[in-house]
């Protein structure tokens, strides 16, 4: 909390953060409650504000290395630019900055997640062959450069063409299919779990073309409005997916396989590698840092 904050503002945050307890509820069994001595309540309107205040010093740390920070909630991006002849110097600067970044987080009870840290070098299409391919060393782990990144829902390529993104129809299918997967695996609200698997219907009543993974599509009286119902749209989207996508063992795997399936539909004839990252300058870089 800033030292110049008004006393009533401090009291407001104190009342919001203090006196909280947590417990674990699993399989109908509830653990004993324990007091919360750190952290910010999740899912609240005020939640991001204390976190942003807590990590405010990180921006000054990045600037001290001659780089430019950009922070949005729990995502931090580090930007830098240079001429092609000074790429090695910029790499060294970014590596030192991120090492200090990780040290600051560790000393303040935060953890840098190397699995979601991404590095992107950007330049024009004609200079793509001059982009560095060496990994960036950060502490005991390395980050390999990628060719595209997702930045707040927008995919940006290393040549700044922004071709690596789904068209609107495929984005709609993606969101509907993900929500359907969650509903089928009990990770969605009860009112969304209204699907009937074809496998639960007696054999004599099934269509020969139906597979065991298909869902029954409800009959609607109003085609235009009825098809927009989640029970209808979700079943249709699910039945159009290949078995290797619908059989994904986890939500994260399902999302990855679904993207691989939908990208060729958005851009037929173009081979796309699914790697995500960010941008900057005539020959610049951006490092995306996300806490776990």
């Amino acid at each position: 909390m800033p030292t110049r904050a008004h006393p009533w503002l401090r009291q407001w945050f104190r009342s919001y953060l203090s006196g909280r307890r947590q417990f674990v509820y699993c399989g109908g069994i509830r653990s004993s409650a324990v007091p919360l001595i750190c952290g910010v309540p999740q899912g609240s309107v005020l939640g991001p504000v204390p976190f942003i205040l807590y990590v405010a010093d990180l921006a000054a740390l990045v600037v001290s290395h001659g780089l430019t920070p950009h922070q949005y909630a729990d995502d931090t991006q580090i930007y830098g630019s240079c001429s092609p002849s000074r790429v090695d110097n910029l790499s060294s600067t970014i590596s030192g900055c991120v090492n200090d970044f990780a040290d600051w987080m560790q000393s303040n009870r935060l953890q840098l997640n190397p699995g979601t840290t991404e590095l992107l070098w950007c330049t024009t299409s004609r200079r793509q062959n001059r982009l560095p391919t060496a990994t960036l060393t950060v502490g005991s782990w390395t980050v390999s450069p990628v060719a595209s990144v997702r930045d707040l829902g927008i995919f940006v390529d290393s040549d700044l063409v922004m071709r690596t993104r789904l068209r609107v129809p495929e984005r709609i299918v993606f969101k509907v299919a993900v929500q359907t997967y969650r509903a089928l695996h009990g990770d969605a609200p009860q009112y969304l779990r209204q699907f009937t698997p074809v496998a639960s219907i007696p054999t004599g009543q099934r269509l020969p073309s139906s597979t065991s993974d298909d869902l029954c599509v409800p009959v609607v009286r109003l085609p235009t409005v009825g098809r927009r119902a989640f029970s209808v749209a979700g079943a249709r989207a699910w039945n159009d997916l290949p078995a290797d996508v619908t059989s994904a063992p986890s939500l994260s795997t399902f999302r990855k396989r679904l993207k691989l399936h939908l990208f060729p539909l958005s851009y037929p004839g173009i081979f796309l590698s699914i790697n995500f990252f960010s941008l900057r300058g005539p020959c610049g870089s951006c490092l995306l840092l996300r806490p776990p």
Side-chain angles (χ1 to χ4, degrees):
M1 179 66 65
T3 57
R4 297 182 180 180
H6 195 279
W8 65 262
L9 181 59
R10 295 190 183 189
Q11 180 59 35
W12 182 44
F13 277 104
R14 186 177 295 110
S15 64
Y16 175 71
L17 297 173
S18 61
R20 293 186 175 271
R21 301 170 68 83
Q22 71 174 6
F23 62 88
V24 177
Y25 184 86
C26 181
I29 301 176
R30 171 177 168 172
S31 69
S32 57
V34 297
L36 282 173
I37 60 174
C38 61
V40 175
Q42 298 294 310
S44 62
V45 175
L46 186 59
V49 178
F51 181 83
I52 292 173
L53 292 173
Y54 189 72
V55 300
D57 292 342
L58 285 175
L61 186 151
V62 174
V63 171
S64 69
H65 285 268
L67 301 170
T68 302
H70 179 265
Q71 295 173 292
Y72 182 84
D74 61 348
D75 280 6
T76 300
Q77 302 173 12
I78 300 175
Y79 294 88
S81 61
C82 68
S83 62
S85 61
R86 297 185 61 83
V87 167
D88 292 339
N89 292 337
L90 180 58
S91 295
S92 178
T93 299
I94 293 178
S95 180
C97 177
V98 178
N99 278 318
D100 291 346
F101 196 102
D103 291 341
W104 186 96
M105 296 185 71
Q106 184 175 9
S107 63
N108 287 273
R109 297 183 177 182
L110 296 174
Q111 181 180 1
L112 185 62
N113 189 345
T116 57
T117 300
E118 299 163 322
L119 171 67
L120 176 71
W121 290 96
C122 296
T123 189
T124 61
S125 300
R126 295 181 178 181
R127 295 184 177 181
Q128 287 292 305
N129 62 333
R130 302 179 65 180
L131 289 178
T133 58
T135 59
L136 182 70
T137 301
V138 181
S140 59
W141 44 276
T142 58
V143 180
S144 299
V146 291
S148 173
V149 68
R150 181 177 180 178
D151 184 16
L152 300 180
I154 298 176
F155 291 97
V156 182
D157 302 313
S158 59
D159 56 0
L160 310 184
V161 176
M162 298 178 64
R163 68 170 62 90
T164 313
R165 64 172 183 170
L166 296 175
R167 297 180 305 174
V168 172
E170 282 72 33
R171 291 206 298 269
I172 295 174
V173 171
F174 178 82
K175 290 184 177 295
V176 171
V178 168
Q179 195 69 3
T180 302
Y181 182 93
R182 295 181 60 191
L184 293 174
H185 290 78
D187 192 30
Q190 187 65 38
Y191 65 86
L192 293 180
R193 307 178 196 175
Q194 301 178 1
F195 295 110
T196 302
V198 172
S200 65
I201 301 177
T203 306
Q205 301 179 19
R206 302 183 198 171
L207 293 174
S209 59
S210 299
T211 66
S212 59
D213 291 332
D214 282 348
L215 300 175
C216 294
V217 180
V219 178
V220 294
R221 288 185 293 178
L222 299 175
T224 304
V225 178
R227 291 178 181 177
R228 299 175 184 173
F230 179 67
S231 58
V232 178
R236 288 181 179 275
W238 185 266
N239 293 346
D240 289 339
L241 298 178
D244 66 305
V245 177
T246 58
S247 61
S250 65
L251 179 59
S252 60
T253 302
F254 176 78
R255 291 170 63 94
K256 292 178 182 178
R257 294 180 182 179
L258 182 58
K259 289 176 182 177
L260 285 171
H261 170 68
L262 294 177
F263 267 118
L265 300 180
S266 287
Y267 304 96
I270 298 178
F271 176 78
L272 296 175
S273 176
I274 308 302
N275 296 309
F276 304 126
F277 21 6
S278 204
L279 80 89
R280 179 77 180 199
C283 186
S285 73
C286 172
L287 194 65
L288 300 184
L289 306 171
R290 295 187 176 95

